[in-house]
Amino acid sequence: MAPTHVLRCCQRGLAWIPVIFIALVVCWSYYAYVVELCLYTITMMGERIVYLIFFHVSFVMFVWSYWKTIFTKPANPSKEFCLPKAEKERYEKEERPESQQEILWRAASTLPMYTRTGAGAIRYCDRCQVIKPDRCHHCSACDMCVLKMDHHCPWVNNCVGFSNYKFFILFLAYSLVYCLFIAATVLQYFIKFWTLCRRKSAENCPKVTQPSSKARSFACRRDTHAVTWFSSFCCLRCFILSSFLKMTIPVNLLSIPVSLSSHLFPQNELNNSAKFHVLFLFFVAAMFCISILSLFSYHLWLVGKNRSTIEAFRAPVFRTGSDKNGFSLGFRKNIAQVFGDQKQYWLLPIYTSQGDGLTFPTRLVNADAEQATVTLQPDSNKCVPEVSVSPLSESQNRLLSNEQQANNAEDHLAENVLKSAESETVTMESES
């Protein structure tokens, strides 16, 4: 028992490594952008102020949504989905799956559930000992059943589900905005640095003899470009190494690399430390931007279809069969189910999702006779236009009264015919 507990604690500790890595990258990006770029590199005060304002807005929203995604506890099934004590003991004693399913069917008869297993049985978690509500799944990493589980994300060390799915979407959105803003504003200084590196490499590296115009061919031009790029790469590598050593080791111990870097980059250009941070800041922002863009686009598509990642790979099974669009209510209602009805809170990491996570409206409710019926109530906010009814004239009243009298007469005659037919049948039966 003790080794298992220790192993579990070690797993929980190691699970925070991706989160710590992201936190360190974000802290370094803050230092590189604010200090190295805005304070040491950018000379225009107006440009510096605008960059700092937009950067801090995106940074605050990104950190806020990331914090909410990490520390929002996943929602679990309520106590009504747990088996009673007597039924649980009977379920554990039974060995036949048919008898166990009978116990589950009796317990689930009063629960609002529409989904089943692939074989049509009740979805039950033996680990948590609860009947799974619709769209609920067991997370092996969190060791619990999570309402409307989407997936377990190692980058937030949490299970993404009903309680924090909106925060996760906003986290992807603001991280994409954060990376795009950094890459867009750093791009001009990155190009300036790269052009300077290419020019200095062409001046200081050995020149490649060009072939004569008559003997020039495609292979020669290809070799020439390869040598040029290789020389640029060598000078760039020398610069990065010298910049890194200059930041970590005293200058008097590195006379050769520092002299090389100062020869390649004069004092009137950007300082070496700023160049080093600007270079890697652009690469890191571009790399994260590409990866986050694909993930964010995929989850926006899932929100529009009202599916989770699990349901996208394995369609939910209803009593009428599997249907991947069983929970889809239309694009607008699907969006409102995640972000809520109040649009002013959509972009804020504040909980505004609809429902309780236990029951979800489906478009197959009316098709299932054994499911609970849904009554549509008129919206009190919508105004119903009043229709003015004009009083009937005397001729219309007389006409209606005559029609009613005729209808009453016809009904009376039909009743007399039925009574006479019944009396005739009675007399015939008595005679027989």
Side-chain angles (χ1 to χ4, degrees):
M1 188 67 182
T4 305
H5 181 70
V6 173
L7 181 61
R8 188 66 180 174
C9 293
C10 293
Q11 290 178 351
R12 291 180 180 178
L14 294 175
W16 286 100
I17 292 179
V19 179
I20 296 173
F21 173 75
I22 294 295
L24 293 176
V25 171
V26 171
C27 293
W28 168 79
S29 66
Y30 183 88
Y31 166 78
Y33 192 89
V34 174
V35 178
E36 297 293 344
L37 180 67
C38 293
L39 298 183
Y40 292 164
T41 304
I42 299 177
T43 57
M44 297 179 60
M45 183 60 64
E47 182 182 4
R48 182 185 300 173
I49 293 175
V50 172
Y51 282 4
L52 286 175
I53 290 175
F54 282 97
F55 173 80
H56 281 91
V57 170
S58 61
F59 178 80
V60 169
M61 298 305 296
F62 162 67
V63 173
W64 186 9
S65 58
Y66 190 46
W67 179 275
K68 295 286 288 185
T69 307
I70 294 174
F71 295 102
T72 300
K73 185 180 179 180
N76 309 118
S78 58
K79 294 182 179 179
E80 61 179 342
F81 288 88
C82 298
L83 289 177
K85 186 176 180 180
E87 297 292 337
K88 186 184 297 184
E89 292 178 354
R90 290 184 55 191
Y91 179 85
E92 293 176 353
K93 291 179 181 179
E94 289 290 345
E95 297 180 356
R96 296 182 303 169
E98 296 82 4
S99 302
Q100 291 180 344
Q101 279 297 315
E102 290 179 2
I103 297 173
L104 294 179
W105 277 104
R106 285 196 301 268
S109 59
T110 58
L111 297 177
M113 295 189 308
Y114 302 115
T115 56
R116 303 287 185 265
T117 62
I122 297 296
R123 301 170 63 244
Y124 182 76
C125 180
D126 294 321
R127 181 75 174 176
C128 301
Q129 296 182 345
V130 295
I131 298 175
K132 295 181 182 179
D134 293 340
R135 315 182 81 175
C136 176
H137 300 276
H138 183 84
C139 178
S140 58
C142 298
D143 196 19
M144 66 176 68
C145 286
V146 180
L147 298 180
K148 195 186 175 182
M149 178 180 174
D150 188 87
H151 68 287
H152 184 87
C153 182
W155 299 106
V156 299
N157 192 26
N158 199 0
C159 211
V160 179
F162 175 77
S163 60
N164 61 349
Y165 189 61
K166 177 190 174 182
F167 306 148
F168 179 74
I169 297 295
L170 292 180
F171 158 65
L172 294 179
Y174 287 122
S175 59
L176 181 62
V177 171
Y178 182 74
C179 294
L180 280 175
F181 178 78
I182 290 178
T185 52
V186 173
L187 179 60
Q188 57 176 331
Y189 299 98
F190 173 80
I191 294 175
K192 181 179 180 181
F193 160 75
W194 185 260
T195 305
L196 180 63
C197 181
R198 289 290 304 276
R199 186 173 68 250
K200 294 300 180 181
S201 64
E203 293 176 357
N204 295 277
C205 292
K207 295 183 179 180
V208 179
T209 58
Q210 298 290 341
S212 61
S213 58
K214 294 182 180 180
R216 183 174 300 171
S217 62
F218 174 76
C220 294
R221 290 195 302 268
R222 182 186 58 187
D223 295 339
T224 302
H225 289 300
V227 172
T228 304
W229 278 99
F230 179 74
S231 60
S232 301
F233 173 76
C234 291
C235 294
L236 178 62
R237 183 181 61 181
C238 293
F239 160 71
I240 294 174
L241 181 60
S242 62
S243 300
F244 178 76
L245 294 175
K246 183 180 178 181
M247 290 185 298
T248 55
I249 304 177
V251 179
N252 55 4
L253 299 178
L254 297 171
S255 58
I256 296 177
V258 172
S259 62
L260 177 60
S261 62
S262 61
H263 178 70
L264 290 177
F265 302 96
Q267 294 296 327
N268 56 355
E269 298 291 342
L270 301 175
N271 60 78
N272 296 328
S273 177
K275 287 189 180 72
F276 178 82
H277 287 285
V278 166
L279 172 69
F280 283 96
L281 186 62
F282 178 80
F283 278 126
V284 171
M287 179 185 65
F288 278 98
C289 181
I290 294 172
S291 60
I292 293 172
L293 179 60
S294 59
L295 185 61
F296 179 63
S297 303
Y298 177 69
H299 277 279
L300 282 184
W301 178 79
L302 290 178
V303 171
K305 296 292 185 179
N306 201 348
R307 302 178 196 169
S308 63
T309 303
I310 298 176
E311 294 167 354
F313 289 95
R314 185 177 61 212
V317 179
F318 298 86
R319 292 185 59 85
T320 56
S322 61
D323 187 3
K324 60 183 179 180
N325 295 320
F327 294 104
S328 180
L329 306 175
F331 181 76
R332 292 185 178 179
K333 291 183 178 180
N334 294 341
I335 296 294
Q337 199 171 86
V338 176
F339 292 93
D341 297 325
Q342 299 177 346
K343 296 183 179 180
Q344 63 270 21
Y345 298 118
W346 279 12
L347 299 180
L348 296 178
I350 301 174
Y351 180 80
T352 56
S353 301
Q354 294 179 349
D356 55 358
L358 299 172
T359 58
F360 296 91
T362 64
R363 65 186 186 92
L364 300 176
V365 171
N366 296 329
D368 193 354
E370 297 187 11
Q371 293 176 357
T373 58
V374 178
T375 58
L376 298 177
Q377 297 180 355
D379 192 358
S380 59
N381 297 327
K382 295 182 179 179
C383 298
V384 179
E386 298 181 359
V387 181
S388 60
V389 181
S390 59
L392 298 175
S393 60
E394 293 181 0
S395 60
Q396 292 174 343
N397 288 328
R398 194 178 302 109
L399 181 60
L400 291 175
S401 62
N402 293 333
E403 289 180 355
Q404 291 177 356
Q405 291 177 1
N407 293 331
N408 293 332
E410 291 177 358
D411 295 336
H412 184 66
L413 290 174
E415 290 177 359
N416 291 333
V417 171
L418 292 174
K419 289 180 180 179
S420 61
E422 290 176 357
S423 62
E424 289 178 358
T425 55
V426 169
T427 54
M428 291 176 64
E429 288 178 356
S430 60
E431 290 176 358
S432 60

